[in-house]
Amino acid sequence: MQSVSRAFGPLLRQCATQQQKALFRKPVLASAAQVQVRHLNVHEHSAFEIMKEYGVPLPKAIVASTPEQAEAAFKSPELGGAEGKDVVIKAQALTGGRGRGHFKNGFQGGVHIVRHADEAKDIASKMLGQTLVTKQTGEEGKRVDKVFLM
């Protein structure tokens, strides 16, 4: 394996902190056959909470576990509460490609734009409790227990 520090020696010497230097010392994958493994799996709504704690500016968003909660979230002042306003509703499943995925119940896509509260409730009812299948999940899919409105 080739070390990144060898390739970026001059830049490495200019780094200000030990943490920055450590980032450059990580080994580079030698071939495409080697796969990186991710050990941190966080739902989007959980990541928003973590970033909010640290003062990261974020768009307003609400998580819902039922179609009725999704309808109420759409109407809430936090999301603007106005009919005709674009609100994105996203299935919360630990997988990439949610927008292009499909549900085993036949519903297409895990990311939709809604413009009315009743539409948010309808879309949420088609996602919640269902299995979302994407390229990353294979036919097994992932169950969706929450939706995220923003």
Side-chain angles (χ1 to χ4, degrees):
M1 274 197 237
Q2 178 184 1
S3 174
V4 176
S5 60
R6 192 175 327 138
F8 292 100
L11 181 60
L12 183 60
R13 286 187 286 280
Q14 294 174 4
C15 289
T17 68
Q18 289 300 101
Q19 273 186 322
Q20 288 171 322
K21 289 178 184 178
L23 288 174
F24 283 101
R25 286 193 191 107
K26 300 234 187 247
V28 174
L29 295 178
S31 72
Q34 292 178 317
V35 178
Q36 289 181 328
V37 178
R38 297 178 70 183
H39 297 286
L40 179 65
N41 293 316
V42 180
H43 284 287
E44 186 175 11
H45 68 275
S46 299
F48 259 61
E49 292 302 317
I50 294 167
M51 290 187 287
K52 195 183 296 182
E53 285 179 28
Y54 288 92
V56 176
L58 302 165
K60 302 291 184 193
I62 299 174
V63 66
S65 301
T66 67
E68 293 74 22
Q69 287 177 353
E71 181 180 34
F74 184 94
K75 293 177 179 177
S76 75
E78 191 172 341
L79 291 184
E83 292 289 321
K85 180 178 188 240
D86 289 349
V87 172
V88 178
I89 183 168
K90 299 178 171 187
Q92 293 297 281
L94 292 174
T95 181
R98 292 172 292 168
R100 291 188 176 188
H102 67 276
F103 289 86
K104 287 190 175 180
N105 65 1
F107 187 63
Q108 292 295 313
V111 179
H112 290 267
I113 296 174
V114 295
R115 292 177 178 84
H116 304 283
D118 60 336
E119 194 179 359
K121 181 179 180 180
D122 179 51
I123 297 289
S125 71
K126 293 174 181 172
M127 291 181 178
L128 291 166
Q130 301 299 320
T131 303
L132 177 63
V133 177
T134 70
K135 284 184 188 180
Q136 289 186 1
T137 66
E139 281 305 310
E140 179 184 323
K142 295 277 186 178
R143 182 178 164 90
V144 174
D145 293 317
K146 295 180 189 293
V147 292
F148 196 46
L149 292 92
M150 54 191 316

